[in-house]
Amino acid sequence: MENSTGKHHSLERFRAIVAWQNRILALFGCYVYVREHRVTSRIAVICFIATSFIVLSVYSAALSWGDMGLVVLNIVAVFYAIVGVARLSVAISDPAGCYRSIRLAEEMYQHADGSHPAECSVLARYTDLFGRSVQLYTFCFMASVVLVSLMPFGFYLFRGERFLPIAIVFPFTDGENAIGFWCTLAVQLFYIYCGPLALVPSQNIYFAFIFNICLQYELLIERLKQLDETIRKTGGSQSSTVRDQLVKIIQFQQRSTEYITHIEHFYQMQSFVEFLCNSLQVALTLNELHRSFWLPGFFVLLMAVVQMLVLCCLGTLIELKSDQFTNQLYDIAWAEMELPQQAMFKYVLKSAQQPTRLTCGRFAVINMNLFLTIHKKIYSFFMMLQNM
């Protein structure tokens, strides 16, 4: 009873964290991770913010042509907006699919054995990891936003200089006079706060999906340990018990494969857009930093590299759990099973040897190898820019 309560507590905490993120998205008209799974007319506001930000960034880049620092800063800003549009398009195009992703994740909690302490411990550990990741990512991202937004006021108060955090300008506005400066700053701060508020929850929900995949592998490993214990205790004599455990493992494995396939189908193009935009941001920023000391470039470089690193680390974590599951299969005392059970075990092993991976637009598997490959390509692109 106590363990069942622990399982229920983990599920309720998971739902609470998701609901917290969904409340933020609901401000912009997205009800995609709740039963309603719909969008409202308020979605037009965030669509306008993203579109107008791209238009103003391109306009500002053309206006500042000749000052490469400002041009690159505007182009980099466009890439941030493109990432936002990519995430937004996922919610708008298929809100039911977003809700189904969460529903499948919740089902994995429900399929866990609440009477088994090890499985309840797995649920609690990954739910806690999800919660801490959401808190850390939200704090770091929003702290960066607050820091950037406070810089203009700090420059003005302590040095008497007018400093704009981003390079976009408003048409027919003279940034040289006080009124034009403060009006432009107000518009920039509006974009600086609205954009991250919409982007952070989508990233946090992605954490939920990734950690849920790892949770599924951990639960499968626990099921294999229980199976191995049964085989070694009975010497394979209780074939019905072994068969029942194998059936449950196969069913859980099939549900896990279905879930990973759904997440892969749902996020592959978004992942491709994010990696492409972050890669171009790093290459352009390095090129400008090579030309001159450009303070905003260090912030842009850090953000782009960290974002790619986080995604690749999550992909590598899934691979490690998949390998642990396969290794656990090899440790099973399969030779003591009867022939029908060995055939079932062979099916599980064959499926484990061909795991479903998360990819970057189906071009490459998301892992640390992709991170290294991308940075080799960035270096090649950077050298090409230097030779132009």
Side-chain angles (χ1 to χ4, degrees), residues 13-34:
R13 188 181 177 197
F14 175 83
R15 286 173 173 169
I17 299 171
V18 172
W20 170 37
Q21 303 305 307
N22 196 73
R23 281 194 292 271
I24 300 174
L25 290 173
L27 296 174
F28 302 101
C30 299
Y31 295 87
V32 294
Y33 298 113
V34 293

Side-chain angles (χ1 to χ4, degrees), residues 340-360:
Q341 282 74 46
Q342 287 184 7
M344 296 171 66
F345 179 78
K346 182 180 178 181
Y347 174 82
V348 176
L349 180 60
K350 183 178 180 181
S351 299
Q353 290 172 337
Q354 299 174 338
T356 304
R357 305 292 194 193
L358 299 183
T359 67
C360 176

Side-chain angles (χ1 to χ4, degrees), residues 13 28 31 51 72 82 106 117 134 136 160 168 180 229 236 276 286 288 306 373 382:
R13 188 181 177 197
F28 302 101
Y31 295 87
T51 305
V72 171
I82 292 174
E106 291 180 353
V134 167
L136 179 62
I168 64 170
E229 183 180 354
L276 178 63
L286 284 175
E288 183 58 27
V306 168
T373 301
F382 168 69

Side-chain angles (χ1 to χ4, degrees), residues 25-30 40-53 88 92 190-191 194-195 198:
L25 290 173
L27 296 174
F28 302 101
C30 299
T40 68
S41 58
R42 290 200 304 275
I43 198 71
V45 176
I46 193 64
C47 289
F48 171 77
I49 292 173
T51 305
S52 61
F53 185 80
L88 190 63
I92 295 177
F190 173 75
Y191 283 118
C194 288

